[in-house]
């Protein structure tokens, strides 16, 4: 009768979700680590340009969101929307610009929900925080991937799951960061 | 009888969600948001819950940004191979 039953069934094993996320994220981190050449001398690593750091940090951030979305899989609307958005953004960088542009037009509603995730810190500060008088629901639709296309009930359920996954993601990332000496 | 096809936003299969269900979902969200949970107050309006949820999601995004920067610096400066086993063990136990 109550939605929570369905929600619990889909998120029935938060530990398994966390495990899936951890494994994917660590794999991606190792890949990123291997693909970035080590600095010739330790002192140079401290003077790497802020742009480089920003680029790497953006890669790690996207790896985190993508690992979480893939760990959740097709079960949730927000993860589907996020995976699609990340895939389109990736393809656009490589080859299929025209196709992506067409799809982007069709998926315009997904864009806004994922915009915050794809924005770099620089872009974020440039955009600033515009003062809008929107209702809480509109704001929530912008924050949750794919939120603009959802009914209110679905939006609230997806938000709950999205928030729990984000918390897991933050917890895992801080554990990893603390593990380094 | 003329069959009128009115374009409604909702798909024909989905039932209209009741206010009770929405209230249920809002209270579930309320339990997730630490700001509201810690106040031990049951009387929080739905708009306040939504507002706090938005703030909470934004703060989580900021934390992810900061952690990514931290991880970038740590990855660049240390040797991960020896730490991997320790990290995995601590995360999966």
């Amino acid at each position: 009768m109550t939605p929570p039953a369905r929600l619990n069934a889909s998120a029935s094993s938060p530990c398994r979700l966390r495990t899936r996320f951890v494994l994917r994220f660590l794999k991606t981190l190792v890949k990123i680590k291997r693909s970035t050449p080590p600095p010739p001398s330790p002192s140079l690593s401290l003077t790497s340009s802020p742009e480089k750091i920003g680029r790497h940090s953006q890669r790690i951030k996207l790896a985190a969101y993508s690992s979480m979305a893939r760990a959740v899989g097709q079960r949730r609307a927000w993860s589907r929307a996020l995976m699609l958005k990340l895939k389109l953004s990736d393809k656009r960088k490589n080859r299929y610009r025209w196709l992506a542009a067409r799809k982007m037009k069709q998926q315009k509603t997904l864009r806004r929900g994922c915009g915050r995730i794809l924005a770099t810190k620089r872009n974020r500060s440039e955009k600033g925080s515009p003062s809008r008088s929107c209702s809480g629901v509109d704001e929530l639709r912008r924050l949750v991937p794919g939120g603009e296309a959802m009914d209110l009930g679905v939006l609230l359920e997806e938000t709950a799951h999205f928030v729990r996954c984000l918390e897991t993601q933050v917890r895992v990332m801080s554990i990893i960061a603390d593990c380094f000496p | 009888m003329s069959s009128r096809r009115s374009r409604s936003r909702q798909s024909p299969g989905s039932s209209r969600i009741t206010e009770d269900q929405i209230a249920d979902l809002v209270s579930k969200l309320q339990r997730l948001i630490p700001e509201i949970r810690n106040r031990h107050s049951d009387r929080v309006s739905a708009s306040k819950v939504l507002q706090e949820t938005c703030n909470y999601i934004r703060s989580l995004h900021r934390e992810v940004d900061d952690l990514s920067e931290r991880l970038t610096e740590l990855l660049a400066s240390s040797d991960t191979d020896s730490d991997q086993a320790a990290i995995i063990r601590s995360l999966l136990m």
Side-chain angles (χ1 to χ4, degrees):
Chain A
M1 167 189 117
T2 57
R6 189 159 57 91
L7 192 68
N8 284 339
S10 64
S12 60
S13 43
C15 292
R16 243 186 271 166
L17 170 68
R18 188 176 63 191
T19 307
R20 283 199 303 267
F21 166 64
V22 163
L23 291 175
R24 282 174 202 270
F25 184 50
L26 285 178
K27 242 199 258 180
T28 316
L29 275 185
V30 169
K31 220 192 290 182
I32 293 178
K33 163 85 178 171
R34 285 190 184 146
S35 69
T36 55
S41 74
S43 58
L44 278 182
S45 66
L46 297 172
T47 57
S48 37
S49 65
E51 280 172 3
K52 232 183 197 177
I53 294 182
R55 264 204 316 269
H56 288 161
S57 140
Q58 175 78 345
R59 266 182 90 181
I60 291 183
K61 186 174 75 163
L62 290 180
Y65 284 115
S66 142
S67 304
M68 180 46 90
R70 286 207 312 265
V72 173
Q74 301 289 324
R75 279 186 291 265
R76 287 274 148 186
W78 72 262
S79 60
R80 291 195 295 267
L82 185 51
M83 285 195 286
L84 178 61
K85 176 61 189 172
L86 290 171
K87 192 164 90 172
L88 289 178
S89 149
D90 201 36
K91 277 192 173 175
R92 195 169 40 156
K93 262 189 279 176
N94 292 338
R95 255 172 268 177
Y96 307 104
R97 284 184 191 167
W98 60 272
L99 179 61
R102 206 172 70 184
K103 271 190 179 168
M104 287 293 270
K105 256 192 198 170
Q106 291 167 3
Q107 305 291 343
K108 208 163 49 158
T109 52
L110 295 175
R111 210 181 198 171
R112 288 197 211 144
C114 309
R116 174 64 183 81
I117 291 173
L118 290 175
T120 57
K121 219 173 190 178
R122 224 181 329 133
N123 293 344
R124 210 168 12 113
S125 59
E126 279 168 9
K127 281 182 187 168
S129 50
S131 56
R132 300 179 197 170
S133 52
C134 302
S135 77
V137 180
D138 290 341
E139 194 59 34
L140 197 59
R141 283 186 193 279
R142 264 189 288 273
L143 286 171
V144 175
E148 305 234 345
M150 294 177 193
D151 290 337
L152 180 58
V154 176
L155 176 67
L156 293 176
E157 277 197 54
E158 295 288 316
T159 306
H161 193 259
F162 183 54
V163 164
R164 285 213 302 273
C165 290
L166 271 184
E167 285 175 341
T168 306
Q169 189 177 321
V170 164
R171 229 174 288 142
V172 167
M173 285 174 84
S174 55
I175 290 177
I176 294 178
D178 289 339
C179 277
F180 282 93
Chain B
M1 280 237 260
S2 59
S3 58
R4 212 182 270 170
R5 278 205 193 155
S6 59
R7 290 216 179 168
S8 116
R9 270 219 185 147
Q10 294 177 349
S11 58
S14 69
S15 56
R16 192 155 292 183
I17 191 161
T18 64
E19 287 204 17
D20 285 341
Q21 281 173 312
I22 294 199
D24 258 345
L25 292 170
V26 168
S27 70
K28 189 166 64 178
L29 261 186
Q30 191 178 324
R31 286 193 288 275
L32 283 179
I33 314 294
E35 282 267 331
I36 306 180
R37 205 173 48 209
N38 296 339
R39 282 187 207 159
H40 301 293
S41 146
D42 284 332
R43 290 189 177 189
V44 186
S45 67
S47 65
K48 180 76 176 167
V49 172
L50 292 179
Q51 198 185 333
E52 291 298 328
T53 307
C54 294
N55 293 339
Y56 188 48
I57 292 180
R58 277 191 284 259
S59 77
L60 286 173
H61 282 317
R62 275 194 300 268
E63 281 195 58
V64 172
D65 287 345
D66 294 337
L67 284 166
S68 310
E69 281 189 13
R70 224 172 113 196
L71 280 175
T72 310
E73 291 163 16
L74 289 171
L75 268 189
S77 60
S78 75
D79 173 27
T80 43
D81 293 333
S82 54
D83 298 322
Q84 276 170 32
I87 293 174
I88 293 176
R89 235 176 280 130
S90 69
L91 282 167
L92 298 181
M93 277 204 316

